[in-house]
Amino acid sequence: MENLVFSTWGNWKDSPGPAQTDNLPAQFGQGKPLRAFMGWDGMFVRDASVNIVDMTREYAAQAANQSCGHCSPCRECTYRMKEILERICEGQGAEDDLDMLEYMARYVMDSSYCDIGLTSPRPILDAIEHGRDDFLRAIQEKKPIPRGNYVAKVTAPCINACPSHLDIPGYVEKIHLGRWDEALEIIRQDCCLPGTIGRVCVRPCEFNCRRGLMDEPIAIKALKRFAADQELIRGVEPGFSTTETKEDKVAIIGAGPAGLACAYHLGIKGYKTTIFEALPEPGGMAKSGIPDYRLPPDILNYEVSLVEKAGAEIRYGVNVGKDITIEDLTEKGYKAVFVGVGAPEASSMRCEGEDAGYERFMTGIDFLREIAFGRRPIEGKKIAVIGGGNVAMDCVRCALRIGFDDVNLIYRRTEAEMPADPVEIEEAKEEGIKFNFLVQPIKILAENGKVSGLECLKMELGEPDDSGRRRPVPIEGSNFIIECDAMVPAIGQVVVVDRVVPEGTELTRRKTLVVDKITFQSSQPNVFGGGDCITGPATLIGALAAGKNAARFIARYLETGECRPEDTDWMEKTISDLGVYDKEETMPFVGQTRRPRQAALDPSVRIKSFKEVESGFSRADAFKEASRCLRCYRIGLAAV
Amino acid sequence: MGSENVIVIDGQEFFFSAGETILQVAQRNGFDIPTLCYLKGASPTGACRICVVELEGSQNLVASCATPAAPGMVVRTETPRVINSRRTSLEVLLASGQHNCLAQDLSMDSWTDFQVKSMAAKGHDDLCPAYGECRLQDLAVQYQVKTNHFTPADVSYPIEDVNPFIVRDFSRCILCGRCVQACNEIQVNNAISFDYRGSKSKIVTEGDLPLKDSICVFCGECVQACPVGALIPKKDLLLERSSNETRKIRTTCSYCGVGCQLYLHVRNNKVVKVTGVEDVGPNFGSLCVKGRFGYDFINDPERLKIPLIKENGKFREASWDEALNLIAEKLTRIKKESGPDSIMVLSSARITNEENYLAQKFARAVIGTNNIDHCARL
Ligand SMILES: Cc1cc2nc3c(=O)[nH]c(=O)nc-3n(C[C@H](O)[C@H](O)[C@H](O)COP(=O)(O)OP(=O)(O)OC[C@H]3O[C@@H](n4cnc5c(N)ncnc54)[C@H](O)[C@@H]3O)c2cc1C
Ligand code: SF4
Ligand code: SF4
Ligand code: SF4
Ligand code: FES
């Protein structure tokens, strides 16, 4: 409640409802107070000296600017509202201006198509209601009002949930209009691997999609893939708008998603980069982890070739830390270094025998990498894969494809707690994988140095743990043996960034690189880092976002020697703190349209090869799906 | 009621089938919900907001054309809130450009100012040519719209008339998007689309080029779809205004074998315009550039109406009997001298199936040759 002049935040939810007064952000960046905020759910003012009339003018200008122009109320009235407010602020307001403003605001809010029109008038009405005297004074005094300092940002529930903040409604709309190339252009601004992400993203956006509250979330991932595929199908040359070439060169360690994104976005800004990659091929875990049936190699390779076109040179077979050090790179004239080395080592299972060096025992990521490079990693007929995440899913489905007859997944909790994507679980079941739940391995058994079985304990679910999932507890004396002749633990990876960065660079206890959350700068000013090596095993889109943002700050660092967050970065944080997706929201009606499904190969066919399982949307399906988007754009404006 | 497919409209219950919109259910049951942007046969865009209705549980009004009916919905179609919204939509649309017609209910002084200003613009020396056939005007009258709340907007984009068929008058475009739907979803030409944003919105071709430099084929589907005076056949503008009545005569297009149904608009015994007949096959209102715009030949003075026989290098008029006798005589002679296969019969796509049948019968049975072909194969 501290310093709150007034708040209407949230009162529009079930209008009129109670406004939120607690837990509203008070800070805007380091040491800067947030003086006032206007947005989709109302407004709050913390500093009485904020000129509410001026702020409303700015907000209305943003609304008019964001109006796409497709529906009459918003197109015809947001700009008229802006004009009236401009007039008032220039000292030329008229008596009936306020009535007209309120009339138009209510009409736009009542009758528009999407949330720009439906939500942007709300804080304008709030401002007039709470600051009527200020408005009347401005109209009567007829003096120009000086402009204050504001930061604006457009978001949406899906955009906010996406680590890289793709303009999802923007590209979905372009697909709806049949302008696929423009859709892809929008996607590439924040994601340089659209065909990859369009196939394997964990899609936090879809879990935060408002359409999901009506019937089913928009198939955001599949639509992205559609746009990417159209470029290839139609043989369109993607357009780049690289700026003039800059002098400074940047070294990037690791050609995984984080490194590629950093190189791409630096390339667009005119910087040449050299990527040093230990393996003989690019892509990081997208290449050596994710199997071909989920992500065909030609898609990834094509997208990497575009990163090269944007200005990156990739040197393969160079292990930084071993073959060359970051200090060497600095000496060679690389003015900044981006570390994107991922989380390459398997975590230990804490199970007797895992370090014994038995034959036919291999960690999940080694197993997948061998397969990715076209080799058969281990022999055998009956395999046990241990773990419940996506890596474990990839291992079991790959095991089937390389010829294991009997594939068993072993997981210590139940299906409900599995972190793997439900779609993956479903597809694995269809393919005939056997799931063993509530089983904990305790000892690896071997004969003649070869894996022969796994001693396990039965488990039951107890109290919830930190992650909120119920903790599995062993049942005393329930030991039993699962016979098998090959074994793959897939229970996670660890980061070993200490091998790469110069001594003295700040690391966490888990050996991840410590970087600033916004700028991605490490404790060494010229060393930046992002992706799995700062977070531990995470997601592709998270790595792409890190690479993209780091590129922006590397450029700043090179140009100014400094590296500080900008107002728009703090605004992003303010908006995330406020929250954009409201999963309690009651929608006006129950939706009647489901998303189309992408066609998938029949299980009996797909287990015979590494051919891609899913094919993309048809044009008709993409069009139909895109038309379901509610365009939940929201405008936020902060006075700072 | 529960999960049954029933909705309540203005207090009465109605069944609906899956996929039907509120508008479809309402119209099927005799409710008069006005529409402007909704184009039959294309997917709804929800752009104009004229068809809004009140929906219980929704904070805002919803577009009935774009909202699928869901079990248990309670809809009201004529509340003061609904009427007010529709009226305001009509007002802002009328004020959005140069809609200089009598729907423009301005005070006397500003009406004259407005007309003078409108008529000063290129191609605007008269009232809007859609006068009397304008959906916006009709609705403005029906909803008794007062337009003096909003000052009319200035012309944002100049008229484009650099082609022989279609005039695009952006100052009268209400951005309903029907032309876009017609072009992209009905004709599937994909020649036009929305571009720019907000109050600068415009219907454009790729690269915002004139129609003639785009992939537009001048089928005129957009012209037929345009509810106002923003897309007009160029020839309409050349017509002098006349008090003589225009009659619409339904007929079948004579250009090809598809058999499109069309209306000839006839005034003073002259065809002055062609439009497609909506709601009937095979074309459901669609026409091609020839069918829609290629009607001048009918009144052309050069058109052959009487058979001509060439004698000594000059044509002279003849009777049908004389002409046919001459042809029969010559064909018989050629057949006798050079054999039937020295003759070929070429028929046309512009005649009916039956006539084409007779043509081949004539070739095979009368002349005795298989040399029969058809211009549509060339
Ligand atoms: C099997 C598996 C499946 C996955 N599936 C998905 C999925 O479906 N969706 C999803 O979003 N995420 C998935 N992930 C996670 C995702 O792949 C990672 O989060 C992402 O690849 C991290 O990107 P990164 O660039 O940080 O690191 P990485 O992808 O690990 O790339 C690091 C690169 O650096 C190279 N490198 C490492 N050390 C050095 C060195 N010293 N010198 C030079 N080069 C070096 C590595 O060879 C590698 O190419 C999966 C991960 C795995 C293991
Ligand atoms: S932004 Fe939304 S509300 Fe505004 S014109 Fe476009 S569709 Fe209408
Ligand atoms: S409906 Fe569209 S804009 Fe709204 S959250 Fe979903 S994808 Fe985003
Ligand atoms: S030209 Fe006509 S049909 Fe097309 S958007 Fe404008 S008013 Fe609508
Ligand atoms: S007719 Fe429904 S929005 Fe235009």
Side-chain angles (χ1 to χ4, degrees), chain A residues 129-299:
Chain A
E129 188 183 326
H130 285 261
R132 183 169 293 274
D133 293 343
D134 297 312
F135 280 91
L136 290 174
R137 207 171 326 113
I139 292 171
Q140 278 147 16
E141 281 182 357
K142 299 217 175 294
K143 274 197 290 216
I145 298 175
R147 281 182 189 270
N149 194 12
Y150 305 102
V151 187
K153 182 138 197 91
V154 181
T155 185
C158 51
I159 298 180
N160 190 52
C162 170
S164 202
H165 301 312
L166 267 78
D167 179 3
I168 294 158
Y171 81 72
V172 170
E173 168 90 19
K174 292 287 185 194
I175 291 174
H176 188 222
L177 291 173
R179 282 141 77 163
W180 305 315
D181 304 337
E182 289 171 37
L184 198 51
E185 221 170 277
I186 295 180
I187 296 169
R188 286 212 170 103
Q189 284 169 8
D190 301 293
C191 165
C192 62
L193 309 177
T196 302
I197 283 293
R199 286 174 168 79
V200 299
C201 189
V202 294
R203 55 190 200 289
C205 54
E206 292 186 15
F207 298 97
N208 285 263
C209 170
R210 266 176 90 236
R211 180 84 210 195
L213 300 171
M214 284 174 61
D215 35 39
E216 273 187 306
I218 303 299
I220 299 173
K221 181 181 88 164
L223 285 174
K224 193 180 294 105
R225 170 188 177 162
F226 173 81
D229 284 358
Q230 287 308 312
E231 178 174 275
L232 283 171
I233 292 169
R234 296 182 307 137
V236 178
E237 264 306 297
F240 281 111
S241 49
T242 42
T243 45
E244 98 249 33
T245 314
K246 308 272 183 8
E247 287 274 300
D248 294 330
K249 283 190 71 172
V250 180
I252 290 173
I253 309 174
L260 290 169
C262 188
Y264 177 83
H265 292 281
L266 279 170
I268 298 290
K269 292 180 180 26
Y271 290 95
K272 296 271 170 241
T273 55
T274 313
I275 307 182
F276 298 91
E277 168 57 55
L279 292 176
E281 279 191 53
M285 286 301 182
K287 162 72 196 166
S288 59
I290 299 175
D292 293 356
Y293 63 83
R294 287 208 285 136
L295 173 62
D298 49 340
I299 298 290

Side-chain angles (χ1 to χ4, degrees), chain A residues 200 254 257-258 277-278 284-285 294 318-320 340-342 368 394 531-532 538 540:
Chain A
V200 299
E277 168 57 55
M285 286 301 182
R294 287 208 285 136
V318 186
N319 191 315
V320 178
V341 294
L368 292 172
D394 288 340
D532 282 3
L540 277 167

Side-chain angles (χ1 to χ4, degrees), chain A residues 12-13 66-73 75-76 80 100 103 107 110-113 122 179 588-590 592 623, chain B residues 46-49 58-61 67 69-70 81 85 88-89 95-96 150-151 174-175 185 193-194 197-198 201:
Chain A
W12 292 98
K13 277 195 183 127
Q66 288 307 321
S67 169
C68 78
H70 285 214
C71 78
S72 332
R75 178 186 65 241
E76 300 302 334
R80 288 178 189 267
M100 211 49 206
Y103 181 78
Y107 161 63
D110 212 19
S111 312
S112 293
Y113 176 90
R122 292 173 170 181
R179 282 141 77 163
F589 52 90
V590 183
Q592 300 294 302
F623 172 83
Chain B
C48 75
R49 317 308 284 177
S58 169
Q59 279 193 25
N60 48 280
L61 302 172
T67 310
R81 183 175 162 212
S85 167
T88 312
S89 293
S96 72
F150 302 96
T151 31
I174 55 170
L175 293 160
E185 288 192 27
S193 176
F194 274 91
R197 295 174 59 85
S201 294

Side-chain angles (χ1 to χ4, degrees), chain A residues 574-592:
Chain A
T574 308
I575 282 185
S576 296
D577 289 352
L578 267 172
V580 186
Y581 179 63
D582 173 10
K583 62 176 189 299
E584 308 294 325
E585 181 181 355
T586 32
M587 299 303 278
F589 52 90
V590 183
Q592 300 294 302

